[in-house]
Amino acid sequence: MSISESATQEWTVATVPRGTPVDIVAIGTEAADLLMVHGIRPGARLVVDSDAPFGGPCIVRVGRSRVAIDRRLANTIRVEFAVDDPGAATR
């Protein structure tokens, strides 16, 4: 998957490439309280470690923790590429 340079592209945890650091912008679900327990909240930085096939969960790294997030839930977590990511300007 290539990263679009379009300013209108909205990214979610489910759509970012593996290994790319992102900052959470918003969580659009009633499960936000459950995610906060794991440190997944607006302003937090995470990295998608792996992506299970066939619509399985996304495994994300938040700090030193790894958390499995259901694909439907991952689609509700809006993110933007981390500003201090050296490769972000070339994507």
Side-chain angles (χ1 to χ4, degrees), residues 19-82:
T20 305
V22 293
D23 294 324
I24 299 173
V25 175
I27 300 174
T29 180
E30 63 279 350
D33 290 338
L34 296 173
L35 293 171
M36 265 192 234
V37 171
H38 298 288
I40 300 171
R41 56 174 173 63
R45 177 158 300 169
L46 61 82
V47 176
V48 176
D49 267 354
S50 62
D51 196 10
F54 307 111
C58 295
I59 310 298
V60 299
R61 193 168 6 108
V62 181
R64 299 177 118 191
S65 300
R66 291 182 73 205
V67 180
I69 302 175
D70 178 78
R71 170 95 33 205
R72 290 174 302 208
L73 186 56
N75 273 313
T76 69
I77 304 171
R78 288 189 314 121
V79 296
E80 60 186 21
F81 292 98

Side-chain angles (χ1 to χ4, degrees), residues 3-11 78-80 91:
I3 300 174
S4 171
E5 293 183 22
S6 171
T8 60
Q9 174 73 40
E10 284 195 14
W11 294 95
R78 288 189 314 121
V79 296
E80 60 186 21
R91 291 191 185 130

